[in-house]
Structures are given as C-alpha cells and as structure tokens.
Amino acid sequence: MRTLIKNGTIATAADLYKADVLIEDEKISLIGTDLAKLGSFDQTIDASGKYVIPGGIDPHTHLDMPFGGTKSADDFETGTRAAAFGGTTCIIDFAIQPQKGSLRQGLDDWHQKAEGKSCIDYAFHMIARDINKESLAEMDRLVKQEGVPSFKLFTAYPGVFLVDDASIFRAMQKTGENGGLICMHAENGPVIDVLIEQALGRGQTAPKYHALTRPARLEAEATHRVIALAEVAQVPVYIVHLSAKEALEQVREARDRGTKAMAETCPQYLFLSYENYEEPGFEGAKYVMSPPLRAKGNEDALWAGLRQDDLALVSTDHCPFCMKEQKELGKDSFAKIPNGAPGIEQRMSILWDGAVRSGRIDINRYVQITSTAAAKIFGLYPKKGTIAPGSDADIVVLDPKREIRWSAKTHHMRVDYNPYEGRTTRGSPTQVFSRGKLIVENDKWLGKTGAGRFIKRGPLTLSS
Ligand code: URP
Ligand code: ZN
Ligand code: ZN
C-alpha cells in the first residue's frame, strides 16, 4: 500500500517545511519535493494549506478503570476511537496492580481489556500499590521483559493507592538499577483526608468542597517530597497531572539545580478553573478530578512552564464518568463523586486553538508537547513521535481552519457531558493515519476495532 500526502507543511518538534510524504505499508518511507513523480499510489491526500504532524501521543489515560465504586465510562474501543477522531494515534494507559495481587495480574488484566479492542496503538504504565520484595522483583521483569518500564505511585488516596515514602524510595532505587521511571501522583493524601472529614462534619457536601479540601500547598508539598526522594535515590522522576503554580515552582527549582525532574500538565488545568465548581446545582461534579482545578492565575504559570520546558508535555488524564449514575454517586457527598474527567478527544484541537493560534507557543513546541516529548520520555521514539523515514506512519493532517464546536451530542467519547460544552476551537485534524492506514477522515470513521497493537517499550534512556 502506497500513500502520498502531498503539498503539506511538515511540522516536527524541530522543523517546519513544505514537502511530500510517502507512506509504504506501515512506515514513512520518503520525504521530499515532487514525490508525485515517483509513479502510482493507492491513495493520494492533498494537504495544501494544511500541516502534516506526528500523531498525538497521550501518555496518561484511564480506560475501563475501576475507581470510586464504578468504572471509567470509555473502554479501549470507545476511548481509542475518540482519541483517533481527535488526532491521537497512541496512548499509554495505566494498568493497575490489584489489591493484594501482583503486578503480573494487573498487567494481564489490562492486556485483556485492550487486546482486540484498541483502535490505535497503545502501551502501559503500571500502577503499583503494594511495594514489597515480590513486587520489586516484578518491576525488573516488567522493565526488561514485558515492555512496561514506567510505574505510577501515589502519595494520595489513602487505603486505595497511597504508598508510603519508604516504598516510594525503594521503588525509585529499583528503577535506578533497571532503567524504569517512577511517575508520581503528588498530593498529600492523609492530610487531605482530614480536611475532607472536617468539611463533611460541617455539612459541606457540594462538589466545590472537593477542590477546597485539596489545597495547592498540599500538591506542592508532595511534589517537593517526591523530588527530594528521587534526588537521594539519584534517579529521574516524572510528576503526573501537575495543576498548581506552587507545585510547578518545586519542579522548576529542582531542574535549576540539575535534577532530572519532569512534569506534565493537562488541558483542564490550562483552560478551566476553580470557578467551574461554582456552576449551579450539581454541575460542579463534572470537574471533580484530582488534583482539582485551581484558582484563576495558575494557568499563566503553567503556560510559562510549558514554554520554558519545566513542563515537558500535555497529557489528558482522560478518566470519564457520566453525570448520570456515576458522578451522581456523590450527590450527597463530594467525597463519593468518582474522580476524573474526559479529555482524550479534544486535547489536540483545544491546544492548537488555545496555544498555537493564540500565539502562546509555536508549532514546533506544539508537536513537542503533544507527541515528541512523550515518545522520548517513555521510550517510543523514533518509532513514534516524529515524521521521519523509518518511523511508523502515525500522521495527522491538520487543517488550521477547521472548526469544531464541542458538545456531548457530537463528541465520540462515551460520556454524557463535555467539560468544554459549547466552546468552538479552530484548527483540527482532517485525516488521521495509524501505521499507514487512514482511520479518520473529517467526521468519518474508517478504522478497525482491534487494529491497535501493544507497543513494548524497553528500559528508558530519558533522552528528552
Ligand atoms: O481525578 C483523577 N485524576 N482521576 C484519575 C486517577 C488519577 O489520579 O490520575
Ligand atoms: Zn493521579
Ligand atoms: Zn490519571
């Protein structure tokens, strides 16, 4: 199968130039001018006036995840199809060690959820909630044999995911030996639980108290702490879903003293704020996620962090729960609202509109924070994350003029609300290729359920 994408402007994290791209089977085989001369093609896409960019990589999703007494609403089929519509061609989802179970069991569970269902390529991180002799030994096997070299640990959610500092430290030392990477959910869970108990005791049950019981200071404290642990263990650390200016300051200070501290933020922290919790009735539940949305002003610091590379990339933390029957579990207590929000579909468009079109960052940086940085940090590069001969033909043709009006009525995610309902973004994919196959053309689904492959990653070199 030979596909020619002609007359487009290729944008990578480094370059911006007009050229044609030849795809042969699953790979990019040639980049050059006037490639139409090369003969006949099975498919030709005219990308005049459009950008040809690497498919988005979203390194933080939760598909089919049991949480808060229910399960995230998108499974691997619906979630990855929605991702593809939005221009994301690879995700890294979080497998979970079952309570009292092994990492191996968690990994098997997640393979079962994804195999035969995923519409795009996927990889896994492993959430470890019990660090002991056995799971530490299993970490070696995951890194060296199973293609899962990244692990998420929590300083939040006592009794569910929280692990203590000694466990975090041991796991960090282990990754120092085996080439893995520890990713941290950094919030001080035990203190947050005291604040939750006190708020509920005062009868403060509305969704906004979710945010008011998770102050930014407690994200900054945990961020500071896990960076200190990584410094003593002499390993890199990656902070997930960073939301607050104060937490970012901890990352920046660490980086300034030469520590390999990396962090991601998410669109919700750039485009929404605490004010959303003040929406009438129970509407604030839509935004119950952890860390919570922050006071206006924090987003300016996050944008600066993205420009200056103290924030390496933008993931989604896609973890959708429907308002009906799921978020509603917390009608009488914000503490029972399942934590998480949908975002897998709109990330590429909302960032193009709110970052590139608005002039906050340039196109190269856009490609870096939506694709290349994730590929480099998490061991997918150069197979994915760039437009180059030999790389997988995971390609998005992006029309800077294409508008989308976001709505739960038209989005492809299996969730009954959209946090950006009614917002119009300009600049969106018109064609999406997954390993050389055209899987989305405008509003049309051309892909196949189950065509996505598990991507085994090796020990990480952290060349980003
Ligand atoms: O509220 C969130 N972020 N839900 C997903 C789980 C997590 O902590 O990432
Ligand atoms: Zn988390
Ligand atoms: Zn998450």
Side-chain angles (χ1 to χ4, degrees), residues 60 62 65 67 152 154 157 185 241 288-291 317 319 339-340:
H60 190 150
H62 301 281
M65 179 179 90
F67 195 45
K152 183 180 179 188
F154 291 72
Y157 303 125
H185 178 133
H241 49 44
V288 166
M289 63 188 80
S290 297
D317 193 12
C319 189
N339 284 204

Coordinates of all heavy atoms in Angstrom, one line a residue, residues 60 62 65 67 152 154 157 185 241 288-291 317 319 339-340, ligand 1:
H60 N -1.2 9.5 29.3 CA -1.9 9.5 30.6 C -3.4 9.3 30.4 O -4.2 10.2 30.2 CB -1.7 10.7 31.4 CG -2.2 10.6 32.8 ND1 -1.6 11.3 33.9 CD2 -3.2 9.9 33.4 CE1 -2.2 11.0 35.0 NE2 -3.2 10.2 34.7
H62 N -7.0 6.6 31.4 CA -7.6 5.5 32.3 C -8.8 5.0 31.6 O -9.9 5.5 31.7 CB -8.0 6.1 33.6 CG -6.9 6.8 34.4 ND1 -5.9 6.0 35.1 CD2 -6.5 8.1 34.5 CE1 -5.1 6.9 35.7 NE2 -5.4 8.1 35.3
M65 N -11.4 1.6 33.7 CA -10.7 1.5 35.0 C -11.7 1.5 36.2 O -12.5 2.5 36.3 CB -9.7 2.7 35.2 CG -9.0 2.7 36.5 SD -7.9 4.1 36.8 CE -8.9 5.3 37.5
F67 N -12.9 2.4 39.6 CA -12.5 3.6 40.5 C -13.7 4.2 41.2 O -14.8 4.3 40.5 CB -11.8 4.6 39.6 CG -11.0 5.7 40.4 CD1 -10.1 5.3 41.4 CD2 -11.1 7.0 40.1 CE1 -9.4 6.2 42.1 CE2 -10.3 8.0 40.8 CZ -9.5 7.6 41.8
K152 N 3.5 4.1 38.1 CA 2.9 5.3 38.8 C 2.7 4.9 40.3 O 2.1 3.8 40.6 CB 1.5 5.7 38.2 CG 0.9 6.9 38.9 CD -0.4 7.3 38.2 CE -1.0 8.5 38.9 NZ -2.4 8.9 38.5
F154 N 1.4 6.7 44.2 CA 0.6 7.8 44.7 C 1.0 8.2 46.1 O 1.2 7.3 47.0 CB -0.9 7.3 44.8 CG -1.6 7.1 43.5 CD1 -1.3 6.0 42.7 CD2 -2.6 7.9 43.0 CE1 -1.9 5.8 41.5 CE2 -3.3 7.7 41.8 CZ -2.9 6.6 41.1
Y157 N -4.9 9.3 48.0 CA -5.9 8.2 48.2 C -5.4 7.1 49.2 O -5.2 6.0 48.8 CB -6.1 7.5 46.8 CG -6.5 8.4 45.7 CD1 -5.8 8.5 44.5 CD2 -7.7 9.2 45.8 CE1 -6.3 9.3 43.4 CE2 -8.1 10.0 44.7 CZ -7.4 10.0 43.5 OH -7.8 10.8 42.5
H185 N 1.8 10.6 41.4 CA 0.6 11.5 41.7 C 1.0 12.1 43.0 O 1.0 11.5 44.1 CB -0.6 10.6 41.8 CG -1.8 11.4 42.2 ND1 -3.0 11.2 41.5 CD2 -2.1 12.3 43.2 CE1 -4.0 12.0 42.1 NE2 -3.4 12.7 43.1
H241 N 0.0 14.9 36.0 CA -1.1 15.9 36.1 C -0.8 17.1 37.1 O -1.6 17.3 38.0 CB -2.5 15.2 36.4 CG -2.5 14.2 37.5 ND1 -1.9 14.4 38.7 CD2 -3.1 13.0 37.6 CE1 -2.1 13.4 39.5 NE2 -2.8 12.5 38.8
V288 N -14.9 17.3 39.0 CA -14.2 16.7 40.2 C -13.2 15.7 39.7 O -13.5 14.7 39.1 CB -15.3 16.0 41.1 CG1 -14.6 15.0 42.1 CG2 -16.1 17.0 41.8
M289 N -11.9 16.1 39.9 CA -10.8 15.3 39.5 C -9.7 15.7 40.5 O -9.8 16.6 41.2 CB -10.3 15.7 38.1 CG -9.9 17.2 38.0 SD -9.6 17.8 36.4 CE -11.2 18.2 35.8
S290 N -8.6 14.9 40.5 CA -7.5 15.1 41.4 C -6.2 15.1 40.7 O -5.9 14.2 40.0 CB -7.5 14.1 42.5 OG -8.7 14.1 43.3
P291 N -5.4 16.2 40.9 CA -5.7 17.4 41.7 C -6.9 18.1 41.0 O -7.2 17.9 39.9 CB -4.4 18.2 41.5 CG -3.3 17.3 41.0 CD -4.0 16.2 40.3
D317 N -5.0 12.8 31.2 CA -5.6 12.2 32.4 C -7.1 11.8 32.1 O -7.9 12.0 33.0 CB -5.5 13.1 33.6 CG -5.8 12.3 34.9 OD1 -5.9 11.1 34.9 OD2 -5.9 13.0 35.9
C319 N -10.3 10.3 32.2 CA -10.9 9.3 33.1 C -12.3 9.7 33.3 O -12.8 10.3 34.2 CB -10.1 9.4 34.5 SG -10.6 8.1 35.6
N339 N -13.6 10.4 40.8 CA -12.6 11.4 40.4 C -12.2 11.2 38.9 O -11.7 10.1 38.6 CB -11.3 11.4 41.2 CG -11.5 11.9 42.6 OD1 -10.5 12.3 43.2 ND2 -12.7 12.0 43.2
G340 N -12.4 12.2 38.1 CA -11.9 12.2 36.8 C -12.8 12.9 35.8 O -13.9 13.1 36.1
Ligands
URP1 O1 -9.1 12.5 39.2 C1 -8.3 11.8 38.5 N1 -7.2 12.3 38.1 N2 -8.7 10.5 38.2 C2 -7.8 9.6 37.6 C3 -6.9 8.9 38.5 C4 -5.6 9.7 38.7 O2 -5.3 10.0 39.8 O3 -5.0 10.0 37.8

